[in-house]
Amino acid sequence: MKIWTKISIMLLFVSGVHATPDWSVNPADFQYNGSVTSKVKIDGEFVGSTDDLLAAFVDGELRGVINGLEQPPFLGGGFAFYLMIFSNSPSGENIFFKYYDASLDTIY
């Protein structure tokens, strides 16, 4: 009985680890960069945590990703995302964003 309990717990932990998107960018692969500072609203409510991710994509290619950063009250509180976006083109690209909510294990 104890063996099955330990195996079940281990499988749940591994399952949770694989749920987080495997988003990473190598800045050395790009010549240019720009930054976006944002807060995220879903259904009219600001969201965020240090486990959540905001990612930028161009034509399906990941160009930047960052975790939320808790803001002090004098900056309005909540969470902000200070995202660096990378490119090999100085202009003219359309950027699309995805948001990963870790508490719901959902990508928006």
Side-chain angles (χ1 to χ4, degrees), residues 1 7 27 37 43 46 48-49 62 66-67 76-77 81-82 88 98 101 103 107:
M1 185 77 166
I7 291 173
T37 300
D43 295 329
F46 285 107
S49 82
L62 180 65
I66 195 72
N67 289 86
F81 297 84
Y82 297 90
N88 285 317
K98 290 184 182 182
D101 184 327
S103 66
I107 297 174

Side-chain angles (χ1 to χ4, degrees), residues 20 47-53 99-106 108:
T20 303
V47 296
S49 82
T50 56
D51 295 325
D52 294 352
L53 300 170
Y99 177 78
Y100 174 70
D101 184 327
S103 66
L104 300 175
D105 190 28
T106 302
Y108 296 90

Side-chain angles (χ1 to χ4, degrees), residues 36-63:
V36 173
T37 300
S38 65
K39 289 190 173 187
V40 176
K41 272 188 177 180
I42 296 176
D43 295 329
E45 299 291 325
F46 285 107
V47 296
S49 82
T50 56
D51 295 325
D52 294 352
L53 300 170
L54 182 63
F57 293 83
V58 174
D59 296 328
E61 178 185 20
L62 180 65
R63 296 293 187 86

Side-chain angles (χ1 to χ4, degrees), residues 1 17 25 34 38 56 64 67 74 78 82 86 89 93 95-96 104:
M1 185 77 166
V17 170
V25 175
S38 65
N67 289 86
F74 69 87
Y82 297 90
F86 300 93
S89 177
E93 294 185 298
I95 302 167
F96 296 90
L104 300 175

